[in-house]
Every structure is written in structure tokens, then in C-alpha cells.
Amino acid sequence: MNNPDDTQNISVEPAEPIITINGMHKWFGDFHVLKNINLEVRRGERIVICGPSGSGKSTLIRCINRLEEHQQGTITVDGTELTQDLKNIEIIRSEVGMVFQQFNLFPHLTALENVTLAPIWVRKMPRAEAEESAMKYLERVKIPEQALKYPGQLSGGQQQRVAIARSLCMNPRIMLFDEPTSALDPEMIKEVLDVMIELAESGMTMLVVTHEMGFATAVAHRVIFMDEGQIIEERPPREFFENPEHERTKLFLSQILHH
Amino acid sequence: MAQNQAKQAYAAGAHPDLPPPVRTTGPVGWIRANLLSSPLNITLTLLSAWLLWSIVPPVLNWALFDAIWSATDRKDCWAQMDEPRAGACWAFIRGSFRLFIYGWYPEPERWRVNVAFVLLLLAIVGVLRDNLPGKKYWLWFAVAFPFIGAWLIVGGFGLTPVGTQKLGGILLTVIIGVTGITFSLPLGIALALGRRSKLPALRAVCVIFIEFIRGVPLITLLFVASTMLTYFLPPGSTFDLLMRVLIMVTLFSAAYIAEVVRGGLQGLSSGQYEAADSLGLTYWKAHRLIILPQALKISIPGIVNTFIGLYKDSVLVLIIGMMDILGLGRARLNDPDWLGLAPELYLFIALFFFLCCFSMARYSLSLEKKLETGHAQ
Ligand SMILES: Nc1ncnc2c1ncn2[C@@H]1O[C@H](COP(=O)(O)OP(=O)(O)OP(=O)(O)O)[C@@H](O)[C@H]1O
Ligand SMILES: [Mg+2]
């Protein structure tokens, strides 16, 4: 599982880029939140993004599926450029899954209905087929027995796993995770991380905003450190943790490691 | 015995489930907890008991036990009592009952009203009950009902036409209430969505509409409907008064529904929109499947409140000369045979409105319970 050789493989035999971000800027009103972001993510690559609160991590990954709109530069996802064109946005959203810190399950629907909703209404899959596939994913996240419960009746860890199954059921090529374990109690963090590690091993392209350093070392090919809207450092996890280059990174690491 | 049990020692982890102490459950427990828990509570209980005792029996005597159910006129009514006015003279209501229900709807055509009423009940059941076989067809029927109902009542297309000035009484009240309720809900939802739209022009139109309608008393709008609209219409064209009133009542309640629904929409976390977006749902699908079901659920108490208000406000049409149940009843009070029977009349009308509104309230409660899914978010 913890296989640093992966890193080498990728650099020796680079797969094609699936996300390309070029000179991207974003403002909230007058506030310059992302500054000149350049990032290339290859197919199957797993990237962990960390950085202090307010550094723009969430905003960056939310730009990738257009939950936030960037104002300058380009973002290309699997050959489709993100523009005002609603068609492009639709294409990209159907290929990119997202998991949120607060789960954001639909509370009026059962776990199973949460998972089947998008396949039925976006992919136009027949209900029976959607349910079959949903059960497969609920098994994969190890909660098939909770399928008929409502989110309000599930624990945080179970809810987050339903949320992961919900995204996976759309067969995305890329998965975005925005602090998926930050709202969880310690004993539930592991059950969610296990699912994510399993997903990583299956070859999914993943961008994960997290401060779980164990997870980063175990599965990430690269760790990206952000501060004040810029990418400060971008290196394989070992090097990143053991030998950070920038003062800012060192300070940040000392803070979260002594936490 | 309870004490013995409490004292008895069990090994760690081996404590069995014991029944609760007798005094905290059952009717005795309930009375102790709710009626006699403190000196203040005891005083209030006694006071309420005394009030009930002094009010309920006389009212029951007047309304039921000493009441007269058939008589030719008020004198005949009073002659049948121990002393005049000792009981209610329901004969008055009975005698006018058909008038109260049908207004001046022509006698031979009244079956159409009855059929429309039965269809209305079916439509309501079709909308409100789940698990009906063929629920889809019930819904289609409910959507079609307003038109079928209008056709049955007004006629044309093979039925004898009946002028809307012949409508009155409960029939008119129900027409105004049902039309207002059915059309103001979708219109109100549309206005609420429009008010939150990203398109400035659409948003402005919705805001102006809502604020204007909310800022004007319903009576004023009804006067506008009955007088001013004729100035705006091309000369010589007639636009049915009832139609105008229905439109005004619908617009009025739609503005309120819009604000109630907007409150519900604001009660949803932005995460719900983001989750829907990130799954690739379009604006309409997201609203239909995710946003509105939740927002409307939050808004149920406010929506039903608005509906109840609308239903009761329908009596205001008597000010512009339409004879709903209240207007008709008041007219009947002037009948020399039945002078002085206002208490009976108003009690009857109050009971009618109460039953309608109370069933709406009860239904909304049961709906809220049914939709409860144990939210934690
Ligand atoms: N919708 C918004 N409008 C205005 N400012 C915003 C908005 N969303 C985020 N910001 C600001 O942008 C900055 C970056 O926010 P972002 O959520 O991306 O940070 P983050 O790195 O994810 O932080 P955290 O670790 O706390 O989640 C913050 O200063 C935040 O206050
Ligand atoms: Mg964040």
C-alpha cells in the first residue's frame, strides 16, 4: 500500500495529463484568493493539497468542477476547457466526483436514493440497473446494510461513505475530496480513510484536501502546499515531510505535527 | 418493593431491565405530573375545571338538548321551547341549508355541483394520499380537475350555461378557496425561485410584484378587480367578475406563499446546491429533486397558514357584492320569518370555516410527521 516506487513509475512513464490548470487567478470581489495557479494532474495520479486555513485549498478544487468560477487563465479537464459554456460544465461535472467536509447528503432521501439519484436523472439509467450498481458501491464502502436508512439515522462516518458511494456511482474519472474527515470523530476517520485508500489502489485520479499526513504518505504521489492563494511547494510526500524547502512549509508542518 | 429492588445489588454488567416505578406511568402518573405537580398547577387545574363546568353544560343545553330542529318560523320555534330562546333554533339553518350550499344555482342543474364536489374530493385524495395504485393517473386527474370542475359549474360545451352571478354560499366560498389554493402554490413557488434568480431583470419583476401585492390590502385589490379593471379592458368586452376576483385572490396569496417558500429555500444549506451541482444535475432537476422537496417541507406550516388565511379571507368578497356563505347568511337574517337568529347563523358559519381550516391544519401536521426523516444536518 505504502509504495514509494509508485512515485518513480509515474515520473518514468508519465501518463497523459487529465487536469491542466494554467495561469489561473480567482477573486472574491476585490479579494485575490487564487494567484497564478499552474498545476498538471496526470491520469491515475493522487494529489494531496494542504496548507493553512484560508489559503484557498477548497476554492482551488471547487474551481475544477465549477462550483467556483475563475476569472483568468485556463482549466482543462480531460480535454474539455471550463468556460461559460454550460455544456462543457455539464460534461466536466459528470466526470468529476466531489466529496465534501459536511457530507452534503440529501436528507430527504434514503442512502440508496442518494446514490441512485444522479445515475437515474443525469445518466438516464433505468432504476433497477441504478439500484444494482448503487448496491455494488455501497458494498464497496462497506455499508450495504444501511441502504434504506435516511442520512439523519447514520453516523458521520457512514454518511461520508454514502457520499463517496454517491459520487462513485456516476463513474467519475476524477474524485475531489475537500477535507473529507475533518468533521468526523477520530474513530470514524479510519473507516473513511480506508475506503479512500482502497479507491486510490483502484487507480482513481484523486485530489484530496486533507491534513491527514498518514494518508498523504500512504497514497499520494505529490503533496501540494498552498499559502495565501499560491502553490508554494509541490513534491512527493516523503521529501515534503522530511525535507521541506520553504520556511513557510516548515512552520506549517511543525504546527500540524505538534498538534 | 420498589425500594427493595433498588437496594438489591447486581454484579457489574448483570443489571436486568426493571419496570419503571408505578407512580411515573399510567393514568395516575399522568395526572400527578400534568395536573397536580405544584400548588400553582393545582390551582390552575381547579380553576379550569370550574370554568369548564360553568360553560360547557349551558352551551350544550342551548346548542343540542334544548334546540329545535324543525319549525315553520321563529315564533313556531320559540313556541316549542320551555321559554323563548332557551335553545337554538336550527330549523332556520335547516330551512336555508340548500340555499347556503348552492346559492342560486338552478335547481335542475344542481347535480353538476354534486358531481364536481365528489370529483374535488377524489382529486384531493389523489394528491394527498400516497401508495394509491396508479398514483400517476390520480395526479393527472388532479391537474385536470380545475378545468373539469369549471366546466361542470359554469357549463357550456354541451351543458346548460350557468351565469357566475348565480353562484353563492358555500359553493362560492369553496370555489374561491380551492382555486386560490391550487393556483397560488405553483405561482408562489415560481415567484420565490424568481426572486432568488441570478437574472437581475427576472429578480426585479418578482420583487416588485411580491412587494406590491403584499403592500396592498386584499379588499383594495378586490375593489380594483370589481371596478378599475374595466377601465383597462377594451370597451365593450366583458370579463367575468368572479374570474377577476379569483385572479386577485390567487395573486394575493401567491405573494405570501412566495415569501414563505423563500424562507424555506434560505433554510437549506448551500451544501445541498453544491452537492446537486457537483453530481451534474441541471437547475431544474436540482430544484425538483433536491431543493424544493426540502424547502417545501420546511415551509409547510407557513404555506398552510397562508391557505387558511386565504380561505377565511374569501368572505371579503361580500364587500364587492358577491354572496358567499357569510353574505348569503346575512341576507337571510333579514327574512321577517327568521329575525333575530344571528347566533345560530354565525355559529353555523363559524363551524363550517372551523371544520375546513381545522382539517387543513391537521393534515399539515400529519404531513410534517410523515416527512420527518430524522434530520441531523
Ligand atoms: N464565497 C466567498 N466569498 C468571499 N470570500 C470567500 C468565499 N469563499 C471563501 N472565501 C475566502 O477565500 C479564502 C480562501 O477560502 P478557502 O475556503 O478556499 O480556504 P481553505 O484553504 O479551504 O481553508 P480551510 O482550511 O479553512 O477550509 C478565505 O479567506 C475565505 O474567507
Ligand atoms: Mg476548505
Side-chain angles (χ1 to χ4, degrees), chain A residues 28-29 31 33-34 51-60 62 68 101 178-179 209 211:
Chain A
F28 281 123
F31 176 49
V33 55
L34 293 178
S53 179
S55 56
K57 310 175 296 287
S58 300
T59 312
L60 172 60
R62 289 156 60 87
E68 304 285 358
Q101 181 175 356
D178 191 356
E179 308 207 30
V209 175
H211 292 162

mmCIF file of all heavy atoms in Angstrom, chain A residues 28-29 31 33-34 51-60 62 68 101 178-179 209 211, ligand 1:
data_model
loop_
_atom_site.group_PDB
_atom_site.id
_atom_site.type_symbol
_atom_site.label_atom_id
_atom_site.label_comp_id
_atom_site.label_asym_id
_atom_site.label_seq_id
_atom_site.Cartn_x
_atom_site.Cartn_y
_atom_site.Cartn_z
ATOM 1 N N PHE A 28 -12.530 36.893 -5.069
ATOM 2 C CA PHE A 28 -13.863 37.058 -4.465
ATOM 3 C C PHE A 28 -14.045 38.546 -4.276
ATOM 4 O O PHE A 28 -13.487 39.120 -3.341
ATOM 5 C CB PHE A 28 -13.946 36.364 -3.104
ATOM 6 C CG PHE A 28 -14.147 34.879 -3.173
ATOM 7 C CD1 PHE A 28 -13.254 34.005 -2.568
ATOM 8 C CD2 PHE A 28 -15.247 34.344 -3.842
ATOM 9 C CE1 PHE A 28 -13.447 32.636 -2.628
ATOM 10 C CE2 PHE A 28 -15.442 32.971 -3.895
ATOM 11 C CZ PHE A 28 -14.538 32.119 -3.298
ATOM 12 N N GLY A 29 -14.793 39.211 -5.137
ATOM 13 C CA GLY A 29 -14.859 40.670 -5.076
ATOM 14 C C GLY A 29 -13.471 41.231 -5.336
ATOM 15 O O GLY A 29 -12.882 40.953 -6.376
ATOM 16 N N PHE A 31 -10.966 40.557 -3.328
ATOM 17 C CA PHE A 31 -10.022 39.697 -2.630
ATOM 18 C C PHE A 31 -9.414 38.682 -3.595
ATOM 19 O O PHE A 31 -10.120 37.845 -4.166
ATOM 20 C CB PHE A 31 -10.749 39.017 -1.466
ATOM 21 C CG PHE A 31 -9.915 38.035 -0.720
ATOM 22 C CD1 PHE A 31 -8.639 38.370 -0.295
ATOM 23 C CD2 PHE A 31 -10.419 36.775 -0.436
ATOM 24 C CE1 PHE A 31 -7.877 37.453 0.392
ATOM 25 C CE2 PHE A 31 -9.667 35.860 0.252
ATOM 26 C CZ PHE A 31 -8.388 36.191 0.674
ATOM 27 N N VAL A 33 -7.999 35.597 -4.256
ATOM 28 C CA VAL A 33 -7.927 34.385 -3.432
ATOM 29 C C VAL A 33 -7.006 33.332 -4.043
ATOM 30 O O VAL A 33 -6.298 32.635 -3.310
ATOM 31 C CB VAL A 33 -9.340 33.836 -3.130
ATOM 32 C CG1 VAL A 33 -10.127 33.595 -4.382
ATOM 33 C CG2 VAL A 33 -9.267 32.570 -2.309
ATOM 34 N N LEU A 34 -6.956 33.228 -5.376
ATOM 35 C CA LEU A 34 -6.009 32.300 -6.009
ATOM 36 C C LEU A 34 -5.131 33.086 -6.966
ATOM 37 O O LEU A 34 -5.635 33.855 -7.795
ATOM 38 C CB LEU A 34 -6.759 31.200 -6.766
ATOM 39 C CG LEU A 34 -7.560 30.215 -5.924
ATOM 40 C CD1 LEU A 34 -8.290 29.225 -6.814
ATOM 41 C CD2 LEU A 34 -6.671 29.481 -4.932
ATOM 42 N N GLY A 51 -2.318 23.091 3.607
ATOM 43 C CA GLY A 51 -1.971 24.500 3.773
ATOM 44 C C GLY A 51 -2.822 25.090 4.866
ATOM 45 O O GLY A 51 -3.828 24.481 5.261
ATOM 46 N N PRO A 52 -2.446 26.256 5.363
ATOM 47 C CA PRO A 52 -3.199 26.845 6.470
ATOM 48 C C PRO A 52 -4.628 27.222 6.068
ATOM 49 O O PRO A 52 -4.936 27.311 4.881
ATOM 50 C CB PRO A 52 -2.385 28.092 6.835
ATOM 51 C CG PRO A 52 -1.490 28.345 5.688
ATOM 52 C CD PRO A 52 -1.272 27.055 4.984
ATOM 53 N N SER A 53 -5.448 27.417 7.072
ATOM 54 C CA SER A 53 -6.847 27.774 6.829
ATOM 55 C C SER A 53 -6.927 29.091 6.061
ATOM 56 O O SER A 53 -6.187 30.030 6.351
ATOM 57 C CB SER A 53 -7.562 27.899 8.172
ATOM 58 O OG SER A 53 -8.891 28.256 7.952
ATOM 59 N N GLY A 54 -7.789 29.125 5.061
ATOM 60 C CA GLY A 54 -7.950 30.355 4.290
ATOM 61 C C GLY A 54 -6.947 30.500 3.165
ATOM 62 O O GLY A 54 -6.934 31.512 2.473
ATOM 63 N N SER A 55 -6.127 29.471 2.936
ATOM 64 C CA SER A 55 -5.099 29.601 1.909
ATOM 65 C C SER A 55 -5.668 29.375 0.511
ATOM 66 O O SER A 55 -4.970 29.594 -0.475
ATOM 67 C CB SER A 55 -3.964 28.624 2.176
ATOM 68 O OG SER A 55 -4.469 27.311 2.256
ATOM 69 N N GLY A 56 -6.918 28.909 0.411
ATOM 70 C CA GLY A 56 -7.534 28.760 -0.907
ATOM 71 C C GLY A 56 -7.591 27.330 -1.413
ATOM 72 O O GLY A 56 -7.868 27.102 -2.594
ATOM 73 N N LYS A 57 -7.380 26.355 -0.536
ATOM 74 C CA LYS A 57 -7.399 24.948 -0.969
ATOM 75 C C LYS A 57 -8.774 24.559 -1.497
ATOM 76 O O LYS A 57 -8.906 24.005 -2.597
ATOM 77 C CB LYS A 57 -7.032 24.023 0.204
ATOM 78 C CG LYS A 57 -5.776 24.407 0.941
ATOM 79 C CD LYS A 57 -5.537 23.530 2.141
ATOM 80 C CE LYS A 57 -6.576 23.607 3.236
ATOM 81 N NZ LYS A 57 -6.571 24.831 4.036
ATOM 82 N N SER A 58 -9.791 24.852 -0.685
ATOM 83 C CA SER A 58 -11.144 24.488 -1.120
ATOM 84 C C SER A 58 -11.479 25.200 -2.424
ATOM 85 O O SER A 58 -12.006 24.587 -3.354
ATOM 86 C CB SER A 58 -12.171 24.888 -0.071
ATOM 87 O OG SER A 58 -11.898 24.247 1.138
ATOM 88 N N THR A 59 -11.182 26.486 -2.460
ATOM 89 C CA THR A 59 -11.510 27.255 -3.657
ATOM 90 C C THR A 59 -10.843 26.643 -4.890
ATOM 91 O O THR A 59 -11.469 26.535 -5.941
ATOM 92 C CB THR A 59 -11.069 28.713 -3.470
ATOM 93 O OG1 THR A 59 -11.537 29.174 -2.203
ATOM 94 C CG2 THR A 59 -11.630 29.589 -4.561
ATOM 95 N N LEU A 60 -9.603 26.209 -4.736
ATOM 96 C CA LEU A 60 -8.904 25.629 -5.884
ATOM 97 C C LEU A 60 -9.630 24.392 -6.395
ATOM 98 O O LEU A 60 -9.935 24.295 -7.591
ATOM 99 C CB LEU A 60 -7.459 25.272 -5.491
ATOM 100 C CG LEU A 60 -6.681 24.474 -6.545
ATOM 101 C CD1 LEU A 60 -6.580 25.261 -7.844
ATOM 102 C CD2 LEU A 60 -5.280 24.126 -6.048
ATOM 103 N N ARG A 62 -12.647 23.499 -5.895
ATOM 104 C CA ARG A 62 -14.016 23.811 -6.323
ATOM 105 C C ARG A 62 -14.035 24.484 -7.687
ATOM 106 O O ARG A 62 -15.065 24.469 -8.374
ATOM 107 C CB ARG A 62 -14.713 24.685 -5.286
ATOM 108 C CG ARG A 62 -15.056 23.911 -3.999
ATOM 109 C CD ARG A 62 -15.184 24.826 -2.810
ATOM 110 N NE ARG A 62 -16.230 25.807 -3.024
ATOM 111 C CZ ARG A 62 -17.509 25.591 -2.723
ATOM 112 N NH1 ARG A 62 -17.858 24.468 -2.179
ATOM 113 N NH2 ARG A 62 -18.399 26.515 -2.957
ATOM 114 N N GLU A 68 -16.934 27.064 -8.169
ATOM 115 C CA GLU A 68 -16.495 28.456 -8.184
ATOM 116 C C GLU A 68 -15.995 28.761 -9.587
ATOM 117 O O GLU A 68 -15.455 27.889 -10.255
ATOM 118 C CB GLU A 68 -15.358 28.695 -7.181
ATOM 119 C CG GLU A 68 -15.666 28.309 -5.753
ATOM 120 C CD GLU A 68 -16.593 29.295 -5.066
ATOM 121 O OE1 GLU A 68 -16.964 30.315 -5.693
ATOM 122 O OE2 GLU A 68 -16.963 29.039 -3.905
ATOM 123 N N GLN A 101 -16.654 18.180 3.085
ATOM 124 C CA GLN A 101 -16.410 18.060 4.520
ATOM 125 C C GLN A 101 -17.701 17.749 5.280
ATOM 126 O O GLN A 101 -17.727 16.933 6.171
ATOM 127 C CB GLN A 101 -15.796 19.371 5.020
ATOM 128 C CG GLN A 101 -15.475 19.374 6.488
ATOM 129 C CD GLN A 101 -14.747 20.649 6.901
ATOM 130 O OE1 GLN A 101 -14.418 21.488 6.067
ATOM 131 N NE2 GLN A 101 -14.488 20.792 8.174
ATOM 132 N N ASP A 178 -12.776 17.372 -0.324
ATOM 133 C CA ASP A 178 -12.474 18.589 0.429
ATOM 134 C C ASP A 178 -12.562 18.287 1.923
ATOM 135 O O ASP A 178 -13.650 18.273 2.498
ATOM 136 C CB ASP A 178 -13.450 19.710 0.050
ATOM 137 C CG ASP A 178 -12.989 21.051 0.613
ATOM 138 O OD1 ASP A 178 -11.978 21.069 1.338
ATOM 139 O OD2 ASP A 178 -13.641 22.067 0.319
ATOM 140 N N GLU A 179 -11.441 18.033 2.531
ATOM 141 C CA GLU A 179 -11.367 17.698 3.961
ATOM 142 C C GLU A 179 -12.432 16.683 4.356
ATOM 143 O O GLU A 179 -13.269 16.960 5.220
ATOM 144 C CB GLU A 179 -11.505 18.971 4.802
ATOM 145 C CG GLU A 179 -10.532 20.048 4.366
ATOM 146 C CD GLU A 179 -10.167 20.991 5.495
ATOM 147 O OE1 GLU A 179 -10.174 20.547 6.651
ATOM 148 O OE2 GLU A 179 -9.861 22.162 5.198
ATOM 149 N N VAL A 209 -7.936 17.422 -0.417
ATOM 150 C CA VAL A 209 -7.522 18.425 0.559
ATOM 151 C C VAL A 209 -7.631 17.764 1.914
ATOM 152 O O VAL A 209 -8.722 17.327 2.309
ATOM 153 C CB VAL A 209 -8.444 19.659 0.519
ATOM 154 C CG1 VAL A 209 -8.061 20.629 1.625
ATOM 155 C CG2 VAL A 209 -8.393 20.323 -0.833
ATOM 156 N N HIS A 211 -5.449 17.160 6.010
ATOM 157 C CA HIS A 211 -4.278 17.292 6.861
ATOM 158 C C HIS A 211 -3.897 15.948 7.448
ATOM 159 O O HIS A 211 -3.103 15.880 8.384
ATOM 160 C CB HIS A 211 -4.540 18.329 7.969
ATOM 161 C CG HIS A 211 -4.667 19.715 7.420
ATOM 162 N ND1 HIS A 211 -5.245 20.742 8.098
ATOM 163 C CD2 HIS A 211 -4.292 20.227 6.228
ATOM 164 C CE1 HIS A 211 -5.246 21.843 7.352
ATOM 165 N NE2 HIS A 211 -4.665 21.546 6.209
HETATM 166 N N1 LIG C 1 -17.863 32.772 -1.313
HETATM 167 C C1 LIG C 1 -16.836 33.506 -0.813
HETATM 168 N N2 LIG C 1 -16.910 34.844 -0.824
HETATM 169 C C2 LIG C 1 -15.889 35.594 -0.344
HETATM 170 N N3 LIG C 1 -14.760 35.084 0.190
HETATM 171 C C3 LIG C 1 -14.638 33.747 0.237
HETATM 172 C C4 LIG C 1 -15.667 32.892 -0.258
HETATM 173 N N4 LIG C 1 -15.285 31.604 -0.073
HETATM 174 C C5 LIG C 1 -14.058 31.678 0.508
HETATM 175 N N5 LIG C 1 -13.666 32.942 0.694
HETATM 176 C C6 LIG C 1 -12.387 33.385 1.236
HETATM 177 O O1 LIG C 1 -11.374 32.869 0.412
HETATM 178 C C7 LIG C 1 -10.289 32.439 1.180
HETATM 179 C C8 LIG C 1 -9.957 31.002 0.830
HETATM 180 O O2 LIG C 1 -11.008 30.191 1.232
HETATM 181 P P1 LIG C 1 -10.941 28.609 1.162
HETATM 182 O O3 LIG C 1 -12.213 28.098 1.658
HETATM 183 O O4 LIG C 1 -10.521 28.196 -0.197
HETATM 184 O O5 LIG C 1 -9.774 28.288 2.179
HETATM 185 P P2 LIG C 1 -9.267 26.875 2.656
HETATM 186 O O6 LIG C 1 -7.837 26.825 2.333
HETATM 187 O O7 LIG C 1 -10.134 25.805 2.128
HETATM 188 O O8 LIG C 1 -9.434 26.997 4.227
HETATM 189 P P3 LIG C 1 -9.929 25.909 5.283
HETATM 190 O O9 LIG C 1 -8.764 25.070 5.609
HETATM 191 O O10 LIG C 1 -10.365 26.740 6.436
HETATM 192 O O11 LIG C 1 -11.056 25.154 4.659
HETATM 193 C C9 LIG C 1 -10.654 32.625 2.633
HETATM 194 O O12 LIG C 1 -10.031 33.792 3.092
HETATM 195 C C10 LIG C 1 -12.153 32.799 2.616
HETATM 196 O O13 LIG C 1 -12.534 33.703 3.615
#
